[in-house]
Amino acid sequence: MSFSKDFIWGSATSAYQVEGAVYEDGKGLNCWDVYSGHNNNTRYNETGEIACDHYHRMKEDVALMKEMGLKAYRFSINWTRVIPNGIGEVNEAGLKFYSDLVDELMANGIEPLCTLYHWEYPYELHKLGGWMNKDSSDWFLEYTKVVVDALSDRVSYWITINEAQCELGCNYGHGSHAPFEKHIESDLFIMGSNIILSHGKAADYIRKNAKKAPKIGTAPMAPAHIPLDNSPEAIEKARELTFRNDSFPFCASYWADPMFFGKFPDDIMEKYGSMIPEYTEEEWKLVTTPLDFYGSNIYFAIASEKQGEYDNIYYQGAPTTDIGWVVCPEVMYWSVRFHYERYQKPVLITENGLASADWVCVDGKVHDSYRIDFTTRYLRELKKANDEGYEVAGYLHWSLMDNYEWAHGYTKRFGLIYVDYKTQKRTIKDSGLWYKSVIESNGENL
């Protein structure tokens, strides 16, 4: 069995990580603009003020996408570039940038996939309480309307919110992402419910008002527990652990069960029921707006049990990427399988890739054979899932280019394209050229 003929092959970025131009053309401030350069919140207090300068180099970057044979490109909208204060007056210059990007992609035969929110929360709304504010889902809907009305005549694929787990858990739980705050569980449940409702209102508006027939999804972080062996008992245990909410902000079922089943997971309700804000009947209708695909950002696996001193994933000397995540290709298979079985929607791999210590070699090229090896292994596991009937819609490699890696600053390189941050020179890595051959063969050469 092969990947379908309309399989989506592409790559992805997010606005703050690549665009730069944070003070230009009427853009407002988001929380990363305000908080990332202070108090050692980020490595070396680095910010995305310039990043990859994609705002000024967009056409050059799209030309590189075409050279690499990409069929699709997932990008995110920077909320305050479009609405500087988060609500109110629209910045037409900012909206035009994204409209021009969509036009440039389509002129080069590349399908645009638009992510409405990838952590660029407006600072002015943050000062009003952000996700704690009962009006936050209406703010998000107002923003959604502006973007969808402007782009849905050309954009078919819509992703509402990227990794809601990190938005809640990292931003407001651990305090490791902007605005670098630590909140108690009752606060987190208020925020989480408002984020889920924001997704629902956005999905409902897209479904009812998009000018082209939309395909809607969300993009959660989707790691999985790996079975100790292939016995039914081990597989069932891994499945149960994958969806158990020991740390609810980071578990996919806390976010996805309301969207697909119209209720929070039983273990969440049993443990925290009194903390979870109640939705009205009308709000539940919005939250359960039908989705077309289940987006999955897959980077790392979770161990299911110990084997002596170590568990079955993390052990002394286990191969890891430059960010410290263990190389475990099997997670691609098990994550797709478990999430497809639970939610019964085609799985779109919205992110997968590795950080590594790349550099330009003496011959002027970037020889990242390890990225080719890594991606080959993960794609083979994706193909295994597809061959066994777990429907896979596509694969978007993270990321298109090296970029600002949030609290890690510029120390982690994920790209298929190398970026010299001093000169902004781009160099397609060996992996980018290899990926082109994978796309051309529709994965048959893996």
Side-chain angles (χ1 to χ4, degrees), residues 335-394:
S335 180
V336 169
R337 174 174 170 175
F338 288 159
H339 288 87
Y340 181 81
E341 287 176 336
R342 189 176 183 93
Y343 300 117
Q344 293 294 300
K345 288 293 180 181
V347 176
L348 173 61
I349 306 303
T350 37
E351 293 181 23
N352 170 249
L354 83 158
S356 57
D358 303 328
W359 62 87
V360 178
C361 297
V362 293
D363 61 0
K365 301 178 181 180
V366 180
H367 300 299
D368 57 338
S369 60
Y370 31 82
R371 183 170 283 104
I372 295 172
D373 183 83
F374 175 98
T375 311
T376 297
R377 293 171 186 268
Y378 280 70
L379 284 175
R380 285 176 177 173
E381 293 292 326
L382 184 64
K383 191 172 188 299
K384 176 183 174 183
N386 179 78
D387 290 349
E388 292 185 11
Y390 306 110
E391 190 175 353
V392 182

Side-chain angles (χ1 to χ4, degrees), residues 12-29:
T13 64
S14 83
Y16 189 72
Q17 291 182 273
V18 300
E19 284 179 2
V22 301
Y23 305 115
E24 295 186 37
D25 291 344
K27 179 188 165 297
L29 296 177

Side-chain angles (χ1 to χ4, degrees), residues 112-226:
L113 290 83
C114 180
T115 302
L116 289 171
Y117 184 75
H118 197 131
W119 311 346
E120 301 98 351
Y121 201 83
Y123 180 58
E124 294 301 319
L125 298 185
H126 169 70
K127 292 193 293 184
L128 297 178
W131 297 118
M132 284 290 291
N133 192 307
K134 64 181 178 60
D135 295 327
S136 56
S137 62
D138 288 330
W139 299 338
F140 193 79
L141 176 58
E142 179 181 332
Y143 157 65
T144 297
K145 289 179 178 179
V146 171
V147 175
V148 172
D149 290 353
L151 303 184
S152 65
D153 59 332
R154 290 155 289 164
V155 174
S156 297
Y157 285 88
W158 296 92
I159 296 159
T160 55
I161 295 172
N162 181 79
E163 289 187 1
Q165 296 107 311
C166 288
E167 174 69 13
L168 184 64
C170 295
N171 296 19
Y172 304 101
H174 294 167
S176 57
H177 282 184
F180 305 98
E181 296 180 351
K182 296 183 180 181
H183 287 251
I184 59 176
E185 286 180 330
S186 57
D187 283 357
L188 296 178
F189 277 113
I190 293 170
M191 295 181 193
S193 290
N194 284 329
I195 292 170
I196 293 169
L197 185 56
S198 296
H199 155 83
K201 289 183 177 181
D204 177 72
Y205 185 82
I206 297 167
R207 181 69 66 205
K208 293 176 178 177
N209 296 280
K211 298 168 186 174
K212 286 183 67 175
K215 297 181 180 179
I216 309 168
T218 186
M221 203 171 63
H225 284 258
I226 305 300

Side-chain angles (χ1 to χ4, degrees), residues 160-351:
T160 55
I161 295 172
N162 181 79
E163 289 187 1
Q165 296 107 311
C166 288
E167 174 69 13
L168 184 64
C170 295
N171 296 19
Y172 304 101
H174 294 167
S176 57
H177 282 184
F180 305 98
E181 296 180 351
K182 296 183 180 181
H183 287 251
I184 59 176
E185 286 180 330
S186 57
D187 283 357
L188 296 178
F189 277 113
I190 293 170
M191 295 181 193
S193 290
N194 284 329
I195 292 170
I196 293 169
L197 185 56
S198 296
H199 155 83
K201 289 183 177 181
D204 177 72
Y205 185 82
I206 297 167
R207 181 69 66 205
K208 293 176 178 177
N209 296 280
K211 298 168 186 174
K212 286 183 67 175
K215 297 181 180 179
I216 309 168
T218 186
M221 203 171 63
H225 284 258
I226 305 300
L228 187 60
D229 54 47
N230 284 321
S231 68
E233 296 78 13
I235 293 172
E236 184 54 37
K237 179 177 181 179
R239 179 188 288 108
E240 177 188 348
L241 289 172
T242 294
F243 297 107
R244 193 170 75 186
N245 288 273
D246 292 332
S247 177
F248 78 88
F250 290 100
C251 188
S253 60
Y254 166 74
W255 302 96
D257 278 19
M259 300 174 189
F260 289 97
F261 304 144
K263 68 184 187 71
F264 287 96
D266 292 341
D267 59 338
I268 282 281
M269 294 304 297
E270 290 170 6
K271 187 174 182 180
Y272 300 104
S274 62
M275 289 188 187
I276 302 175
E278 294 184 3
Y279 291 138
T280 65
E281 183 178 345
E282 182 59 33
E283 287 172 337
W284 271 119
K285 288 180 182 178
L286 295 170
V287 167
T288 55
T289 297
L291 301 180
D292 300 290
F293 60 88
Y294 187 87
S296 292
N297 293 356
I298 301 175
Y299 289 102
F300 55 86
I302 307 172
S304 291
E305 57 185 283
K306 291 279 189 180
Q307 287 181 308
E309 183 180 355
Y310 300 105
D311 59 40
N312 62 324
I313 300 297
Y314 295 87
Y315 55 88
Q316 190 68 34
T320 63
T321 69
D322 192 42
I323 209 166
W325 298 332
V326 169
V327 177
C328 180
E330 295 82 4
V331 69
M332 185 70 87
Y333 169 81
W334 290 109
S335 180
V336 169
R337 174 174 170 175
F338 288 159
H339 288 87
Y340 181 81
E341 287 176 336
R342 189 176 183 93
Y343 300 117
Q344 293 294 300
K345 288 293 180 181
V347 176
L348 173 61
I349 306 303
T350 37
E351 293 181 23

